[in-house]
């Protein structure tokens, strides 16, 4: 595998791009986004690696401990590990003995997610597969002694879930990267020795549906050789017609170039963007990786998760929700509970989410926080708090002689009347206490409105 990947990488490097897309942003940015991504709407993000062993602070543990020499990290190491203990010494403790990829896949199906993105390599450089250019710093040579990327991919595909691979371009402390950085990124030894061979390897081995690039911020796309890789990916790779990419391909790219836009972690626009985007966020509001010292009040509750999902989709985005597995390979019960709650909500309201499009009005700033999506002529109105007297005023839809209003999860048509000034007033059903979680959102299906 190593020899064939390196040979293909050299051929791609030396050959001009022969295909529809040239290795320029002007050309690459014209590629249509494969439609599956916009239809999916909801995905699960997984930050898992050697940082899951100390499980303290965040997935930036190594950086905060060794580079920043943060006092809390230094004290943590002094209190719990012997003198001379190195970050590499954590790797054998990354055991993954409870990792059951089929159980993970079942959980993600229950969550209502349509795609899953796994960290194949974070900024620490440890790879969750047997990378031929990461000798002894990968999950096959040490730690789990297992191809985590491949095992999860096989389980997800049995459940018809799309599979995305997160990959960090940089590695904080890799000698070749530090040498390139010292040169002002005029040399590219790290790129051609490590980053690009890994990306080609991931594509050819696992044929992912999505490549979630990161770690690009210190240098431009010309250093990373990004446009050459993407031209090969879109023109010649075995996933050229289906693969989706994000926008983190160089310090000049975020929110400007690539497939869909992440822009920044937890990006939250206040108006409808003119380009497909994704909001990535984490149930643990303090970290992407698992933390043993996290507290319940530091986690997003199910109501806030559903609120963010609704707001993101109504503004045309996808919602990528992160959980951090433990070093043993478990997804802890509180994370499972949150994911299953989202799935329960989507089992009723998913018609307004999956494959939807933003409507002409995305939100109404009323006390009930009303949001809108659409599918063709059908409009969906999602309201996040239950109105007094079971009467919901909708300001934006205009009634016609054929207007019919129903509520997802409830049988029968709802009564409504035109408002004297604007919009509609809908008579909601009397909801017995506890029949629907308070503040989690309900959906009206509006047919025959303008």
């Amino acid at each position: 595998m190593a020899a064939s990947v390196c040979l293909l990488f050299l051929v791609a490097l030396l050959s001009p791009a022969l295909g529809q897309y040239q290795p320029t942003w002007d050309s690459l940015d014209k590629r249509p986004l494969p439609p599956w991504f916009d239809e999916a709407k909801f995905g699960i993000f997984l930050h898992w690696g050697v940082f899951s062993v100390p499980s303290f602070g965040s997935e930036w543990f190594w950086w905060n401990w060794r580079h920043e020499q943060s006092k809390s990290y230094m004290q943590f190491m002094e209190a719990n590990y012997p003198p001379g203990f190195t970050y590499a010494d954590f790797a054998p403790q990354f055991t993954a003995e409870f990792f059951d990829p089929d159980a993970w896949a079942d959980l993600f199906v229950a969550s209502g997610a349509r795609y899953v993105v796994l960290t194949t390599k974070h900024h620490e450089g440890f790879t969750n597969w047997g990378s031929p250019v990461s000798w002894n710093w990968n999950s096959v040579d040490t730690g789990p002694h297992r191809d985590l990327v491949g095992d999860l991919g096989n389980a997800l595909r049995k459940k018809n879930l799309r599979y995305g691979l997160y990959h960090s371009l940089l590695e904080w402390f890799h000698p070749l990267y530090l040498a390139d950085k010292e040169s002002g990124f005029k040399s590219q030894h790290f790129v051609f020795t490590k980053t690009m061979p890994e990306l080609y390897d991931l594509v050819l081995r696992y044929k992912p549906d999505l490549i979630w690039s990161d770690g690009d911020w210190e240098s431009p796309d010309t250093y990373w050789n990004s446009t050459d890789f993407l031209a090969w990916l879109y023109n010649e790779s075995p996933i050229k017609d289906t693969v989706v990419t994000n926008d983190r391909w160089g310090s000049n790219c975020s929110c400007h170039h690539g497939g869909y836009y992440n822009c920044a972690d937890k990006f939250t626009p206040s108006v409808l963007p003119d380009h497909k985007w994704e909001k990535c966020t984490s149930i643990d509001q303090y970290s992407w990786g698992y933390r043993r010292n996290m507290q319940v009040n530091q986690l997003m509750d199910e109501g806030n998760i559903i609120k963010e999902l609704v707001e993101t989709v109504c503004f045309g985005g996808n919602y990528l929700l992160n959980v951090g597995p433990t070093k043993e390979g478990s997804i802890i019960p509180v994370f499972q509970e949150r994911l299953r709650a989202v799935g329960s909500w989507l089992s009723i309201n998913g018609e307004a989410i999956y494959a939807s499009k933003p409507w002409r009005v995305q939100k109404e700033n009323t006390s009930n926080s009303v949001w809108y999506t659409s599918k063709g002529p059908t409009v969906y109105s999602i309201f996040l708090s239950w109105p007094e007297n079971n009467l919901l005023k909708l300001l934006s839809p205009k009634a016609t002689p054929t207007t019919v209003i129903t509520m997802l999860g409830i049988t029968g048509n709802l009564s409504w009347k035109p408002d004297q000034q604007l919009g509609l007033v809908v008579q909601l059903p009397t909801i017995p206490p506890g029949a629907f979680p308070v503040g989690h959102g309900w959906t009206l299906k509006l047919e025959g409105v303008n």
Side-chain angles (χ1 to χ4, degrees):
M1 174 62 75
S4 61
V5 169
C6 290
L7 178 60
L8 178 57
F9 171 58
L10 288 173
V11 170
L13 179 64
L14 297 173
S15 302
L18 301 175
Q20 182 177 356
Y21 301 103
Q22 298 301 308
T24 65
W25 288 121
D26 183 62
S27 176
L28 297 169
D29 288 344
K30 290 182 174 66
R31 178 182 183 257
L33 194 72
W36 74 261
F37 183 74
D38 183 52
E39 294 169 0
K41 302 302 183 186
F42 178 44
I44 301 299
F45 212 178
L46 298 164
H47 276 67
W48 197 29
V50 171
F51 51 80
S52 306
V53 176
S55 53
F56 174 84
S58 81
E59 72 287 348
W60 280 53
F61 182 93
W62 195 7
W63 179 266
N64 290 328
W65 171 35
R66 281 308 188 194
H67 184 272
E68 297 294 330
Q69 296 190 347
S70 169
K71 183 178 179 181
S72 62
Y73 288 78
M74 301 289 284
Q75 290 175 340
F76 172 81
M77 290 302 299
E78 290 170 2
N80 295 284
Y81 296 92
F85 194 93
T86 69
Y87 191 77
D89 292 328
F90 284 124
Q93 300 177 37
F94 180 41
T95 51
E97 70 267 28
F98 298 143
F99 174 45
D100 182 345
D102 290 315
W104 283 23
D106 287 340
L107 172 63
F108 302 147
V109 168
S111 78
R114 297 292 172 86
Y115 64 106
V116 177
V117 180
L118 172 70
T119 46
T120 67
K121 183 191 77 172
H122 200 254
H123 314 318
E124 64 185 12
F126 186 90
T127 67
N128 282 331
W129 85 103
S131 168
V133 292
S134 190
W135 180 80
N136 210 39
W137 191 233
N138 67 74
S139 66
V140 175
D141 290 344
T142 188
H145 296 289
R146 185 172 177 180
D147 180 359
L148 304 177
V149 175
D151 288 352
L152 181 59
N154 292 335
L156 295 176
R157 287 185 165 126
K158 286 189 289 186
K159 299 294 184 179
N160 295 314
L161 291 171
R162 297 279 185 170
Y163 192 27
L165 302 182
Y166 168 107
H167 176 266
S168 174
L169 297 172
L170 66 76
E171 295 179 23
W172 287 315
F173 303 117
H174 195 291
L176 291 179
Y177 181 70
L178 294 177
D180 285 351
K181 190 174 181 179
E182 182 67 23
S183 77
F185 297 109
K186 294 176 182 177
S187 61
Q188 294 176 284
H189 302 305
F190 177 75
V191 174
F192 295 135
T193 302
K194 192 69 162 59
T195 296
M196 282 299 149
E198 282 184 342
L199 280 170
Y200 280 86
D201 190 26
L202 287 170
V203 169
L204 295 173
R205 283 200 205 205
Y206 305 111
K207 299 177 178 58
D209 299 293
L210 187 155
I211 296 178
W212 213 102
S213 184
D214 196 17
D216 62 321
W217 58 84
E218 291 189 336
S219 50
D221 65 279
T222 50
Y223 168 73
W224 294 116
N225 217 48
S226 298
T227 55
D228 284 338
F229 170 72
L230 291 173
W232 171 81
L233 186 70
Y234 295 164
N235 290 324
E236 303 175 50
S237 79
I239 51 175
K240 61 186 178 65
D241 297 322
T242 56
V243 68
V244 170
T245 63
N246 66 342
D247 58 349
R248 298 186 182 187
W249 295 100
S251 57
N252 55 322
C253 293
S254 184
C255 234
H256 292 94
H257 298 298
Y260 67 88
Y261 293 168
N262 287 119
C263 297
D265 291 350
K266 305 184 181 181
F267 173 62
T268 307
S270 57
V271 296
L272 179 65
D274 59 5
H275 192 95
K276 182 62 188 180
W277 63 285
E278 176 188 68
K279 176 172 183 172
C280 61
T281 191
S282 185
I283 293 178
D284 180 354
Q285 297 179 84
Y286 286 63
S287 176
W288 301 84
Y290 175 67
R291 292 186 304 138
R292 285 178 288 169
N293 59 328
M294 68 182 178
Q295 303 297 312
V296 169
N297 62 2
Q298 298 168 342
L299 307 181
M300 292 180 65
D301 62 34
E302 58 197 56
N304 281 324
I305 292 170
I306 291 167
K307 176 177 180 289
E308 285 196 354
L309 169 63
V310 169
E311 294 172 352
T312 299
V313 172
C314 290
F315 274 146
N318 278 22
Y319 191 62
L320 186 64
L321 182 64
N322 178 79
V323 296
T326 69
K327 69 182 182 68
E328 296 88 2
S330 298
I331 297 176
I332 62 172
V334 69
F335 289 162
Q336 294 189 40
E337 180 187 50
R338 298 292 193 269
L339 295 183
R340 291 184 184 276
V342 177
S344 294
W345 187 87
L346 283 168
S347 70
I348 297 172
N349 299 279
E351 181 182 337
I353 299 297
Y354 302 120
S356 67
K357 299 290 183 182
W359 193 44
R360 63 176 175 82
V361 174
Q362 291 83 57
K363 66 174 180 176
E364 292 176 351
N365 294 318
T366 63
S367 59
N368 302 112
S369 188
V370 178
W371 293 79
Y372 292 95
T373 63
S374 65
K375 287 182 182 177
T378 301
V379 176
Y380 298 92
S381 175
I382 307 170
F383 54 104
L384 299 177
S385 63
W386 196 264
E388 293 183 4
N389 303 318
N390 302 323
L391 293 174
L392 180 67
K393 183 175 181 180
L394 303 178
L395 303 178
S396 303
K398 299 176 182 178
T400 72
T402 61
T403 296
V404 175
I405 301 177
T406 55
M407 183 175 180
L408 299 186
I410 300 284
T411 57
N413 298 341
L414 300 182
S415 299
W416 61 273
K417 62 181 180 180
D419 182 68
Q420 292 181 351
Q421 297 177 334
L422 182 68
L424 309 171
V425 177
V426 183
Q427 176 66 60
L428 301 176
T430 300
I431 303 296
F436 286 85
V438 175
H440 286 22
W442 306 264
T443 303
L444 298 183
K445 183 177 182 178
L446 313 176
E447 299 174 279
V449 298
N450 295 323

